[in-house]
Amino acid sequence: VILTLTLNAALDVTYAVRALIPRTAHRVDDVAERAGGKGVNVARVLHALDEPVLAAGLAGGTTGERIRSLLTADGVPEAMTPIAGESRRTISVSDGADSTGFWEPGPVVSAAEWARLLAAFRDHVGRAAVVVLAGSLPRGVPAGAYGELLAVARATGVSTILDADGEPLRAGLAAGPDLVKPNLDELDALVGHPDGGVPAAIDAIRRLGARDVVVSLGADGMVASAVGRDGARHVWQARLPDRLAGNPTGAGDACVAALARGMARGVAWPDRLRDAVALSAAAVAAPVAGSVEVAEYHRLRPSVTIEET
Ligand SMILES: Nc1ncnc2c1ncn2[C@@H]1O[C@H](COP(=O)(O)OP(=O)(O)OP(=O)(O)O)[C@@H](O)[C@H]1O
Ligand SMILES: [Mg+2]
C-alpha cells in the first residue's frame, strides 16, 4: 500500500459565481466540497488508478469529520488522527474564467496530538511500500516534523517521497528522503539560482540530502536526476510536445502520485517519468482541481518525450 501523510488536511470548497465583484454580495450558483491537502490529493489520484492507498494525517473538528466522510464517499481508505482544533477550509470563488482563493489558517496542534500522530505513523508505516509526505505543516507541529517522520520510515526500510516547501522541506532533506519533487519556486527558495541552471540546483539539493530529485517545470514538463537500474545516475528531461489548457492546480500532486506508484512497483525511470508527465497533464485537463481524467492519461502517455541529458 502507498501511505500518504497530510498534516494540514483541508476541506476544499468551491463557489461558482457568475462574476466576482469586490464590495458586493454574491449569489452562489453552485457549491462543491472535496477533501483536500496535498497528500489527500495524491491518495485520491492513486485510488482513481486502482492503486491500494491509505490516507493518514491530522483532521479535527466538524471540518475534519467532513474531510473523512468525503474521503470515505470517494472510496479512499483513511486513517486520519483526530485533533481538537478545527481543520482548515480553502474557499475558491470561481467565475468560470478565474479563481480567487481564501485559505484559512488551520488548527493549532498540541504536543500530545503530534505524539499521537507519530505513534499512528509508526503503526501504519510497516505495511507501506512507499510513504508520501506532502504539504505544509499546521501550527504547533515542530519544524523538523518531516525529518522525524522520514527517520521512522527509513528505520522501517520503507521508501519515501517528500513534497514540501521552505523550512519543512529543508529540515526533511537532512533526513535523506529517497525522492523530492520541488517546482521551480520551491527550488529557488531552497538553493537560489546557481550558475548552471536547474541541473546545478538539483546537485545542490542532493547535497542537502535527497537521493533522487524531480523538478517540475509547469507546462515544460520535468527534469529528473535519479539512480537507474544500472546503478548509475542519469538526468532525464520529460515533457509533452504542447502545453495543455486547463487548471494546473494539483498537477504537482498527480505528478507525485505517479512517481509514488512507479517507486512502489519498481518501474524503470524513463517509464516512471512518462507516467508522471501524462498523469499530471491529465490533472490539468480535469475540470476539478486535484483530480485526474484517467482516459486522458492513457491518451497522452504515448506522446511524452524522454531525453537523457
Ligand atoms: N499547462 C500544462 N500542460 C501540460 N502539462 C502541465 C501543464 N502544467 C503542468 N503540467 C504538468 O504537471 C507537472 C506539475 O506541474 P507544476 O510544476 O506546476 O507542479 P506544482 O507547482 O508542484 O503544482 P501544485 O500546484 O500541484 O503543487 C509538470 O511537471 C507538468 O508535467
Ligand atoms: Mg507542488
PDB file of all heavy atoms in Angstrom, residues 71-98:
ATOM      1  N   LEU A  71     -13.689  11.530   1.990  1.00  0.00           N
ATOM      2  CA  LEU A  71     -12.724  10.520   1.543  1.00  0.00           C
ATOM      3  C   LEU A  71     -13.397   9.160   1.455  1.00  0.00           C
ATOM      4  O   LEU A  71     -13.240   8.425   0.471  1.00  0.00           O
ATOM      5  CB  LEU A  71     -11.532  10.454   2.508  1.00  0.00           C
ATOM      6  CG  LEU A  71     -10.424  11.478   2.294  1.00  0.00           C
ATOM      7  CD1 LEU A  71      -9.435  11.442   3.456  1.00  0.00           C
ATOM      8  CD2 LEU A  71      -9.702  11.211   0.974  1.00  0.00           C
ATOM      9  N   THR A  72     -14.144   8.817   2.491  1.00  0.00           N
ATOM     10  CA  THR A  72     -14.827   7.526   2.514  1.00  0.00           C
ATOM     11  C   THR A  72     -15.821   7.427   1.359  1.00  0.00           C
ATOM     12  O   THR A  72     -15.899   6.397   0.686  1.00  0.00           O
ATOM     13  CB  THR A  72     -15.547   7.342   3.868  1.00  0.00           C
ATOM     14  OG1 THR A  72     -14.558   7.469   4.903  1.00  0.00           O
ATOM     15  CG2 THR A  72     -16.224   5.991   3.966  1.00  0.00           C
ATOM     16  N   ALA A  73     -16.544   8.530   1.096  1.00  0.00           N
ATOM     17  CA  ALA A  73     -17.503   8.524  -0.015  1.00  0.00           C
ATOM     18  C   ALA A  73     -16.793   8.322  -1.354  1.00  0.00           C
ATOM     19  O   ALA A  73     -17.337   7.704  -2.270  1.00  0.00           O
ATOM     20  CB  ALA A  73     -18.287   9.838  -0.035  1.00  0.00           C
ATOM     21  N   ASP A  74     -15.555   8.833  -1.465  1.00  0.00           N
ATOM     22  CA  ASP A  74     -14.763   8.628  -2.687  1.00  0.00           C
ATOM     23  C   ASP A  74     -14.138   7.231  -2.736  1.00  0.00           C
ATOM     24  O   ASP A  74     -13.481   6.886  -3.721  1.00  0.00           O
ATOM     25  CB  ASP A  74     -13.634   9.668  -2.777  1.00  0.00           C
ATOM     26  CG  ASP A  74     -14.137  11.042  -3.216  1.00  0.00           C
ATOM     27  OD1 ASP A  74     -15.279  11.125  -3.703  1.00  0.00           O
ATOM     28  OD2 ASP A  74     -13.381  12.027  -3.059  1.00  0.00           O
ATOM     29  N   GLY A  75     -14.281   6.461  -1.660  1.00  0.00           N
ATOM     30  CA  GLY A  75     -13.716   5.108  -1.626  1.00  0.00           C
ATOM     31  C   GLY A  75     -12.245   5.076  -1.240  1.00  0.00           C
ATOM     32  O   GLY A  75     -11.578   4.057  -1.406  1.00  0.00           O
ATOM     33  N   VAL A  76     -11.714   6.208  -0.725  1.00  0.00           N
ATOM     34  CA  VAL A  76     -10.293   6.273  -0.350  1.00  0.00           C
ATOM     35  C   VAL A  76     -10.152   5.871   1.120  1.00  0.00           C
ATOM     36  O   VAL A  76     -10.670   6.568   1.995  1.00  0.00           O
ATOM     37  CB  VAL A  76      -9.739   7.703  -0.545  1.00  0.00           C
ATOM     38  CG1 VAL A  76      -8.274   7.775  -0.130  1.00  0.00           C
ATOM     39  CG2 VAL A  76      -9.915   8.159  -1.990  1.00  0.00           C
ATOM     40  N   PRO A  77      -9.460   4.754   1.418  1.00  0.00           N
ATOM     41  CA  PRO A  77      -9.278   4.367   2.819  1.00  0.00           C
ATOM     42  C   PRO A  77      -8.498   5.444   3.574  1.00  0.00           C
ATOM     43  O   PRO A  77      -7.491   5.939   3.077  1.00  0.00           O
ATOM     44  CB  PRO A  77      -8.461   3.072   2.734  1.00  0.00           C
ATOM     45  CG  PRO A  77      -8.664   2.567   1.338  1.00  0.00           C
ATOM     46  CD  PRO A  77      -8.854   3.780   0.484  1.00  0.00           C
ATOM     47  N   GLU A  78      -8.993   5.815   4.769  1.00  0.00           N
ATOM     48  CA  GLU A  78      -8.318   6.872   5.519  1.00  0.00           C
ATOM     49  C   GLU A  78      -8.037   6.427   6.939  1.00  0.00           C
ATOM     50  O   GLU A  78      -8.751   5.582   7.479  1.00  0.00           O
ATOM     51  CB  GLU A  78      -9.136   8.171   5.501  1.00  0.00           C
ATOM     52  CG  GLU A  78     -10.532   8.073   6.114  1.00  0.00           C
ATOM     53  CD  GLU A  78     -10.586   8.377   7.591  1.00  0.00           C
ATOM     54  OE1 GLU A  78      -9.587   8.867   8.141  1.00  0.00           O
ATOM     55  OE2 GLU A  78     -11.629   8.097   8.213  1.00  0.00           O
ATOM     56  N   ALA A  79      -6.983   6.998   7.519  1.00  0.00           N
ATOM     57  CA  ALA A  79      -6.628   6.738   8.911  1.00  0.00           C
ATOM     58  C   ALA A  79      -6.152   8.050   9.513  1.00  0.00           C
ATOM     59  O   ALA A  79      -5.039   8.163   9.997  1.00  0.00           O
ATOM     60  CB  ALA A  79      -5.540   5.674   8.982  1.00  0.00           C
ATOM     61  N   MET A  80      -7.021   9.064   9.435  1.00  0.00           N
ATOM     62  CA  MET A  80      -6.653  10.374   9.952  1.00  0.00           C
ATOM     63  C   MET A  80      -6.653  10.329  11.481  1.00  0.00           C
ATOM     64  O   MET A  80      -7.576   9.775  12.085  1.00  0.00           O
ATOM     65  CB  MET A  80      -7.670  11.431   9.488  1.00  0.00           C
ATOM     66  CG  MET A  80      -7.607  11.718   8.001  1.00  0.00           C
ATOM     67  SD  MET A  80      -6.193  12.769   7.637  1.00  0.00           S
ATOM     68  CE  MET A  80      -6.222  12.728   5.848  1.00  0.00           C
ATOM     69  N   THR A  81      -5.647  10.926  12.089  1.00  0.00           N
ATOM     70  CA  THR A  81      -5.590  11.049  13.541  1.00  0.00           C
ATOM     71  C   THR A  81      -6.414  12.268  13.955  1.00  0.00           C
ATOM     72  O   THR A  81      -6.182  13.364  13.447  1.00  0.00           O
ATOM     73  CB  THR A  81      -4.118  11.233  13.991  1.00  0.00           C
ATOM     74  OG1 THR A  81      -3.390  10.061  13.620  1.00  0.00           O
ATOM     75  CG2 THR A  81      -4.020  11.449  15.489  1.00  0.00           C
ATOM     76  N   PRO A  82      -7.398  12.070  14.851  1.00  0.00           N
ATOM     77  CA  PRO A  82      -8.242  13.210  15.242  1.00  0.00           C
ATOM     78  C   PRO A  82      -7.485  14.203  16.127  1.00  0.00           C
ATOM     79  O   PRO A  82      -6.648  13.801  16.942  1.00  0.00           O
ATOM     80  CB  PRO A  82      -9.397  12.570  16.028  1.00  0.00           C
ATOM     81  CG  PRO A  82      -9.135  11.112  16.086  1.00  0.00           C
ATOM     82  CD  PRO A  82      -7.782  10.828  15.517  1.00  0.00           C
ATOM     83  N   ILE A  83      -7.756  15.473  15.942  1.00  0.00           N
ATOM     84  CA  ILE A  83      -7.207  16.528  16.803  1.00  0.00           C
ATOM     85  C   ILE A  83      -8.361  17.421  17.263  1.00  0.00           C
ATOM     86  O   ILE A  83      -9.448  17.408  16.669  1.00  0.00           O
ATOM     87  CB  ILE A  83      -6.145  17.388  16.073  1.00  0.00           C
ATOM     88  CG1 ILE A  83      -6.699  17.948  14.749  1.00  0.00           C
ATOM     89  CG2 ILE A  83      -4.882  16.597  15.827  1.00  0.00           C
ATOM     90  CD1 ILE A  83      -5.762  18.910  14.041  1.00  0.00           C
ATOM     91  N   ALA A  84      -8.098  18.203  18.327  1.00  0.00           N
ATOM     92  CA  ALA A  84      -9.166  19.043  18.898  1.00  0.00           C
ATOM     93  C   ALA A  84      -9.462  20.249  18.014  1.00  0.00           C
ATOM     94  O   ALA A  84     -10.612  20.673  17.876  1.00  0.00           O
ATOM     95  CB  ALA A  84      -8.754  19.511  20.300  1.00  0.00           C
ATOM     96  N   GLY A  85      -8.427  20.821  17.408  1.00  0.00           N
ATOM     97  CA  GLY A  85      -8.611  22.023  16.585  1.00  0.00           C
ATOM     98  C   GLY A  85      -9.397  21.721  15.318  1.00  0.00           C
ATOM     99  O   GLY A  85      -9.517  20.575  14.896  1.00  0.00           O
ATOM    100  N   GLU A  86      -9.932  22.779  14.740  1.00  0.00           N
ATOM    101  CA  GLU A  86     -10.778  22.649  13.554  1.00  0.00           C
ATOM    102  C   GLU A  86      -9.887  22.649  12.306  1.00  0.00           C
ATOM    103  O   GLU A  86      -9.102  23.579  12.111  1.00  0.00           O
ATOM    104  CB  GLU A  86     -11.729  23.862  13.537  1.00  0.00           C
ATOM    105  CG  GLU A  86     -12.853  23.805  12.555  1.00  0.00           C
ATOM    106  CD  GLU A  86     -13.978  22.852  12.967  1.00  0.00           C
ATOM    107  OE1 GLU A  86     -14.154  22.577  14.174  1.00  0.00           O
ATOM    108  OE2 GLU A  86     -14.670  22.384  12.040  1.00  0.00           O
ATOM    109  N   SER A  87     -10.003  21.607  11.460  1.00  0.00           N
ATOM    110  CA  SER A  87      -9.239  21.595  10.210  1.00  0.00           C
ATOM    111  C   SER A  87      -9.611  22.798   9.360  1.00  0.00           C
ATOM    112  O   SER A  87     -10.689  23.362   9.487  1.00  0.00           O
ATOM    113  CB  SER A  87      -9.491  20.304   9.432  1.00  0.00           C
ATOM    114  OG  SER A  87      -8.827  19.224  10.056  1.00  0.00           O
ATOM    115  N   ARG A  88      -8.712  23.174   8.463  1.00  0.00           N
ATOM    116  CA  ARG A  88      -8.939  24.400   7.683  1.00  0.00           C
ATOM    117  C   ARG A  88      -9.848  24.134   6.486  1.00  0.00           C
ATOM    118  O   ARG A  88      -9.963  23.010   5.993  1.00  0.00           O
ATOM    119  CB  ARG A  88      -7.596  24.973   7.201  1.00  0.00           C
ATOM    120  CG  ARG A  88      -6.902  24.066   6.229  1.00  0.00           C
ATOM    121  CD  ARG A  88      -5.448  24.440   6.024  1.00  0.00           C
ATOM    122  NE  ARG A  88      -4.844  23.362   5.220  1.00  0.00           N
ATOM    123  CZ  ARG A  88      -4.271  23.534   4.036  1.00  0.00           C
ATOM    124  NH1 ARG A  88      -4.149  24.720   3.513  1.00  0.00           N
ATOM    125  NH2 ARG A  88      -3.778  22.491   3.382  1.00  0.00           N
ATOM    126  N   ARG A  89     -10.484  25.189   6.031  1.00  0.00           N
ATOM    127  CA  ARG A  89     -11.183  25.165   4.754  1.00  0.00           C
ATOM    128  C   ARG A  89     -10.423  26.054   3.783  1.00  0.00           C
ATOM    129  O   ARG A  89      -9.847  27.060   4.190  1.00  0.00           O
ATOM    130  CB  ARG A  89     -12.619  25.693   4.904  1.00  0.00           C
ATOM    131  CG  ARG A  89     -13.531  24.743   5.660  1.00  0.00           C
ATOM    132  CD  ARG A  89     -14.843  25.382   5.977  1.00  0.00           C
ATOM    133  NE  ARG A  89     -14.640  26.561   6.827  1.00  0.00           N
ATOM    134  CZ  ARG A  89     -15.627  27.306   7.317  1.00  0.00           C
ATOM    135  NH1 ARG A  89     -16.877  27.006   7.050  1.00  0.00           N
ATOM    136  NH2 ARG A  89     -15.365  28.354   8.075  1.00  0.00           N
ATOM    137  N   THR A  90     -10.381  25.656   2.526  1.00  0.00           N
ATOM    138  CA  THR A  90      -9.870  26.548   1.486  1.00  0.00           C
ATOM    139  C   THR A  90     -11.066  26.875   0.601  1.00  0.00           C
ATOM    140  O   THR A  90     -11.751  25.981   0.119  1.00  0.00           O
ATOM    141  CB  THR A  90      -8.764  25.890   0.647  1.00  0.00           C
ATOM    142  OG1 THR A  90      -9.332  24.839  -0.131  1.00  0.00           O
ATOM    143  CG2 THR A  90      -7.660  25.316   1.529  1.00  0.00           C
ATOM    144  N   ILE A  91     -11.353  28.162   0.481  1.00  0.00           N
ATOM    145  CA  ILE A  91     -12.508  28.589  -0.302  1.00  0.00           C
ATOM    146  C   ILE A  91     -12.009  29.150  -1.628  1.00  0.00           C
ATOM    147  O   ILE A  91     -11.176  30.069  -1.641  1.00  0.00           O
ATOM    148  CB  ILE A  91     -13.300  29.705   0.429  1.00  0.00           C
ATOM    149  CG1 ILE A  91     -13.519  29.355   1.902  1.00  0.00           C
ATOM    150  CG2 ILE A  91     -14.610  29.999  -0.296  1.00  0.00           C
ATOM    151  CD1 ILE A  91     -14.478  28.259   2.181  1.00  0.00           C
ATOM    152  N   SER A  92     -12.453  28.582  -2.734  1.00  0.00           N
ATOM    153  CA  SER A  92     -12.126  29.131  -4.049  1.00  0.00           C
ATOM    154  C   SER A  92     -13.403  29.665  -4.660  1.00  0.00           C
ATOM    155  O   SER A  92     -14.413  28.957  -4.701  1.00  0.00           O
ATOM    156  CB  SER A  92     -11.539  28.060  -4.964  1.00  0.00           C
ATOM    157  OG  SER A  92     -10.367  27.534  -4.407  1.00  0.00           O
ATOM    158  N   VAL A  93     -13.365  30.907  -5.107  1.00  0.00           N
ATOM    159  CA  VAL A  93     -14.523  31.507  -5.768  1.00  0.00           C
ATOM    160  C   VAL A  93     -14.206  31.566  -7.255  1.00  0.00           C
ATOM    161  O   VAL A  93     -13.241  32.212  -7.675  1.00  0.00           O
ATOM    162  CB  VAL A  93     -14.812  32.914  -5.217  1.00  0.00           C
ATOM    163  CG1 VAL A  93     -16.037  33.507  -5.914  1.00  0.00           C
ATOM    164  CG2 VAL A  93     -15.020  32.864  -3.721  1.00  0.00           C
ATOM    165  N   SER A  94     -14.977  30.842  -8.039  1.00  0.00           N
ATOM    166  CA  SER A  94     -14.680  30.691  -9.456  1.00  0.00           C
ATOM    167  C   SER A  94     -15.780  31.325 -10.290  1.00  0.00           C
ATOM    168  O   SER A  94     -16.970  31.064 -10.078  1.00  0.00           O
ATOM    169  CB  SER A  94     -14.563  29.198  -9.781  1.00  0.00           C
ATOM    170  OG  SER A  94     -14.509  29.025 -11.179  1.00  0.00           O
ATOM    171  N   ASP A  95     -15.367  32.187 -11.247  1.00  0.00           N
ATOM    172  CA  ASP A  95     -16.363  32.776 -12.155  1.00  0.00           C
ATOM    173  C   ASP A  95     -16.289  32.119 -13.531  1.00  0.00           C
ATOM    174  O   ASP A  95     -16.709  32.687 -14.524  1.00  0.00           O
ATOM    175  CB  ASP A  95     -16.175  34.298 -12.260  1.00  0.00           C
ATOM    176  CG  ASP A  95     -14.828  34.677 -12.844  1.00  0.00           C
ATOM    177  OD1 ASP A  95     -14.089  33.772 -13.298  1.00  0.00           O
ATOM    178  OD2 ASP A  95     -14.506  35.874 -12.846  1.00  0.00           O
ATOM    179  N   GLY A  96     -15.717  30.919 -13.572  1.00  0.00           N
ATOM    180  CA  GLY A  96     -15.596  30.200 -14.838  1.00  0.00           C
ATOM    181  C   GLY A  96     -14.260  30.472 -15.493  1.00  0.00           C
ATOM    182  O   GLY A  96     -13.569  29.548 -15.911  1.00  0.00           O
ATOM    183  N   ALA A  97     -13.854  31.740 -15.546  1.00  0.00           N
ATOM    184  CA  ALA A  97     -12.575  32.080 -16.185  1.00  0.00           C
ATOM    185  C   ALA A  97     -11.447  32.106 -15.149  1.00  0.00           C
ATOM    186  O   ALA A  97     -10.384  31.534 -15.354  1.00  0.00           O
ATOM    187  CB  ALA A  97     -12.672  33.439 -16.875  1.00  0.00           C
ATOM    188  N   ASP A  98     -11.692  32.754 -14.005  1.00  0.00           N
ATOM    189  CA  ASP A  98     -10.658  32.921 -12.990  1.00  0.00           C
ATOM    190  C   ASP A  98     -11.138  32.424 -11.637  1.00  0.00           C
ATOM    191  O   ASP A  98     -12.329  32.268 -11.412  1.00  0.00           O
ATOM    192  CB  ASP A  98     -10.271  34.403 -12.855  1.00  0.00           C
ATOM    193  CG  ASP A  98      -9.522  34.889 -14.071  1.00  0.00           C
ATOM    194  OD1 ASP A  98      -8.489  34.289 -14.380  1.00  0.00           O
ATOM    195  OD2 ASP A  98     -10.001  35.835 -14.713  1.00  0.00           O
TER     196      ASP A  98
END
